[in-house]
Structures are given as C-alpha cells and as structure tokens.
Amino acid sequence: MEIIVNETCEDMSRAAAKEIASVMNAKPDAVLGMATGSTPLGVYNELVRMHREEGLDFSQVTTFNLDEYVGLPVTHTQSYHYFMRENFFQHVNIPRQNIYIPSGTTDNYRAFCEWYEHRIEQAGGIDVQILGIGSDGHIAFNEPTSSLGSRTRIKTLAKQTIDDNARFFEDPADVPIYAITMGVGTILEAERIILLANGENKARAVAAAVEGPVTSMITASALQMHPEVLVFLDNQAASQLEMAEYYRWIQHNMPGAPGMR
Ligand code: PGA
C-alpha cells in the first residue's frame, strides 16, 4: 500500500484524478471501476474539468460501478444510476453502451450478478478501481463479516451504513436495506486500486484498514493483500494513523529512490 496524505480534500481529489488520468493516457480504452458517495465527488469534478479544459478523452473507456440500492429505479434521485449520471457521466464522453452499473430492479438478481461478473471479465478486468470507505470499514457494500472472497451479490446493509446514508433521504425509513454489490474478491482482481477517504469520521476506519489486521470485520483491510493500492487521504482521515510520519517521509523521499518516477 502506498499512503498519500494530502493537506485538504481538494488536494486529495486532484492527486487521485491525476493518477486516473495517467492510467487513461497510457491506455485510452481503460476499464474504470467507479464508486459513489460523497468521497469521490471531488475526483469526478476534477476529471470533468480535465475533460473540458485539457481534452482528457473518455471515448474508449468502459466503466463498472461497484454497487446499487435494491429497489430504487434508475430515475430515483438517491439511486446510484442517478448519482453517476448527474455527477459524472453526463459531463464526459463515455459511450452509453460502455457504462455498467448493477441493477437495483432486476427480477433475477442471481442471474444478473453472474452476468455482471462475466461482463467485467469480458472487458478484460478493471484497470483501476476507485473506492471510498464506510465508517464501518466497508468497501462497496461489503459490510463487516463479508467473505473476503465474495463476488457480486445481494448484501443486507449494516445498521451503521443505513444510519450514515439516512442523510440523503427525506425519511430515514426510506433508506433501502439491501444492495447489490461487487464482492471483496471481485474488487481485489482489479489491476490497481485507489482508496479515498477524507474527514475525521473516516479516521478510525482508515487506521483499521491500513494498519490493523486483515479481517472481514473491516473489509477494506483485505486491500493489504493487493499488490497495487494507492490510499489518498486528507489530513483528518489520516489523523489516527500510527505511522503517519513514516508515510510522509516515504512520500518525500520516494521520488529519489533508484528506478522511481
Ligand atoms: P461516503 O461513503 O463517500 O458517502 O462517505 C463511502 C462508502 O460508504 O463507501
């Protein structure tokens, strides 16, 4: 894991977007794994800016989103289909047929999950997967005790996640309790992973994921098993890391190491 601590959330978003753009520049038909939630919004804004002002081209890109609420139609303002369209897809030039988001309204979830996994495989796998982290340490909707080998499936959301997400719904009782989500095993197959976290309320989960034991109680900790994970944090999200000074030391010195960029 490479831990990159930034002063602010804006710095974090710019640094992560730059990394994604460099993957796209090296591979114009890159397959991107997309995340929803408040955390990646700054990254999406920056990618949109790069598209508009610097000609960053998405015309050959394919995307797969991590998850969707079960039961919300694509037109529902809290569905992840809606979120992605509003915040990203309508502002860049990804061909519509290259955009994949799990369905929250299929009548056969089992078949859909298998098809989704198959589509990722047929696309050649995900080149770079963007992830947020839940305050309970989840990645996508892989709640505590999810199998670290899990694949795309239906998950029952944890009480903590439902409470965290209630802020987006008029009535807290409207928060769906099920989601369709890529599994931890699915996520770990991405070539490269970018984990983002900002704010004090993520500090505990980040410390557990990065420095704690690998455990299904904090599914983000499974990322320790992946060979290429970049963790972009702001100062607040990094505030409970025991080794924060070491990570800053590495950031400062790594560019000078033999063979580094
Ligand atoms: P957030 O959600 O970005 O809205 O904090 C992150 C997550 O639950 O994965």
Coordinates of all heavy atoms in Angstrom, one line a residue, residues 36-40 132-135 138-141 161 165 167-168 201-202, ligand 1:
T36 N -19.6 5.5 -5.7 CA -20.5 6.6 -5.4 C -20.2 7.1 -4.0 O -19.3 6.7 -3.4 CB -22.0 6.2 -5.6 OG1 -22.1 4.9 -4.9 CG2 -22.3 6.0 -7.1
G37 N -21.1 8.0 -3.5 CA -20.9 8.6 -2.2 C -20.3 10.0 -2.3 O -19.9 10.4 -3.4
S38 N -20.2 10.6 -1.1 CA -19.6 12.0 -1.1 C -18.1 12.0 -1.5 O -17.7 13.0 -2.1 CB -19.8 12.6 0.3 OG -20.9 12.2 0.9
T39 N -17.4 11.0 -1.1 CA -16.0 11.0 -1.2 C -15.4 11.2 -2.6 O -14.5 12.0 -2.8 CB -15.4 9.7 -0.6 OG1 -16.0 9.5 0.7 CG2 -13.9 9.8 -0.4
P40 N -15.9 10.4 -3.6 CA -15.2 10.6 -4.9 C -15.7 11.8 -5.7 O -15.2 12.0 -6.8 CB -15.6 9.3 -5.6 CG -16.8 8.8 -5.0 CD -16.9 9.3 -3.6
G132 N -14.4 4.3 -2.0 CA -14.4 5.0 -0.8 C -14.4 4.0 0.4 O -14.1 2.8 0.1
I133 N -14.5 4.5 1.6 CA -14.6 3.5 2.7 C -15.7 4.0 3.7 O -15.9 5.2 3.9 CB -13.2 3.5 3.5 CG1 -13.2 2.5 4.6 CG2 -12.8 4.9 4.0 CD1 -11.8 2.2 5.2
G134 N -16.5 3.0 4.1 CA -17.6 3.4 5.1 C -17.0 3.6 6.5 O -15.9 3.2 6.8
S135 N -17.8 4.2 7.3 CA -17.3 4.4 8.7 C -17.2 3.1 9.4 O -16.5 3.0 10.4 CB -18.1 5.4 9.5 OG -19.5 4.9 9.6
H138 N -16.3 -0.6 5.5 CA -16.6 -1.4 4.3 C -16.1 -0.8 3.0 O -15.8 0.4 3.0 CB -18.2 -1.5 4.2 CG -18.9 -0.3 3.9 ND1 -20.3 -0.1 4.2 CD2 -18.6 0.9 3.2 CE1 -20.7 1.1 3.8 NE2 -19.7 1.7 3.2
I139 N -15.9 -1.6 2.0 CA -15.6 -1.2 0.6 C -16.8 -1.7 -0.2 O -17.3 -2.8 0.0 CB -14.3 -1.7 0.1 CG1 -14.0 -3.1 0.4 CG2 -13.1 -0.8 0.6 CD1 -12.7 -3.7 -0.3
A140 N -17.2 -0.8 -1.1 CA -18.5 -1.1 -1.8 C -19.6 -1.3 -0.7 O -19.5 -0.6 0.4 CB -18.5 -2.2 -2.8
F141 N -20.5 -2.3 -0.8 CA -21.4 -2.5 0.3 C -21.0 -3.9 1.0 O -21.9 -4.6 1.4 CB -22.8 -2.5 -0.1 CG -23.4 -1.2 -0.2 CD1 -24.1 -0.7 -1.3 CD2 -23.4 -0.3 0.9 CE1 -24.8 0.5 -1.3 CE2 -24.0 1.0 0.9 CZ -24.7 1.4 -0.2
T161 N -24.4 1.7 8.3 CA -24.4 2.2 6.9 C -25.8 2.9 6.7 O -25.9 3.9 6.0 CB -24.2 1.1 5.9 OG1 -22.9 0.5 6.2 CG2 -24.2 1.5 4.5
N165 N -26.3 6.8 5.7 CA -26.9 7.2 4.4 C -28.2 7.8 4.6 O -28.8 8.4 3.6 CB -26.9 6.0 3.5 CG -25.5 5.6 3.1 OD1 -24.5 6.2 3.4 ND2 -25.4 4.5 2.3
R167 N -28.9 10.5 5.8 CA -28.9 12.0 5.5 C -29.3 12.3 4.1 O -29.7 13.4 3.8 CB -27.5 12.5 5.8 CG -26.4 12.1 4.8 CD -25.0 12.5 5.4 NE -23.9 12.3 4.4 CZ -23.2 11.2 4.2 NH1 -23.6 10.1 4.8 NH2 -22.2 11.2 3.3
F168 N -29.3 11.3 3.2 CA -29.6 11.6 1.8 C -31.1 11.4 1.5 O -31.6 11.7 0.4 CB -28.8 10.7 0.8 CG -27.3 10.9 0.9 CD1 -26.5 9.9 1.4 CD2 -26.8 12.1 0.5 CE1 -25.1 10.1 1.5 CE2 -25.4 12.4 0.6 CZ -24.6 11.4 1.1
N201 N -14.4 11.6 10.5 CA -15.3 10.4 10.7 C -14.8 9.2 10.0 O -15.3 8.1 10.2 CB -16.8 10.7 10.3 CG -16.9 11.0 8.9 OD1 -16.1 11.6 8.2 ND2 -18.1 10.6 8.3
K202 N -13.8 9.3 9.2 CA -13.2 8.1 8.5 C -11.9 7.7 9.1 O -11.4 6.6 8.8 CB -13.0 8.4 7.0 CG -14.3 8.7 6.2 CD -15.2 7.5 6.2 CE -16.6 7.8 5.5 NZ -16.5 8.1 4.1
Ligands
PGA1 P1 -19.2 8.4 1.5 O1 -19.5 6.8 1.5 O2 -18.2 8.6 0.5 O3 -20.6 9.0 1.3 O4 -18.7 8.7 2.9 C1 -18.3 5.9 1.4 C2 -18.8 4.5 1.5 O5 -19.7 4.2 2.2 O6 -18.1 3.7 0.8

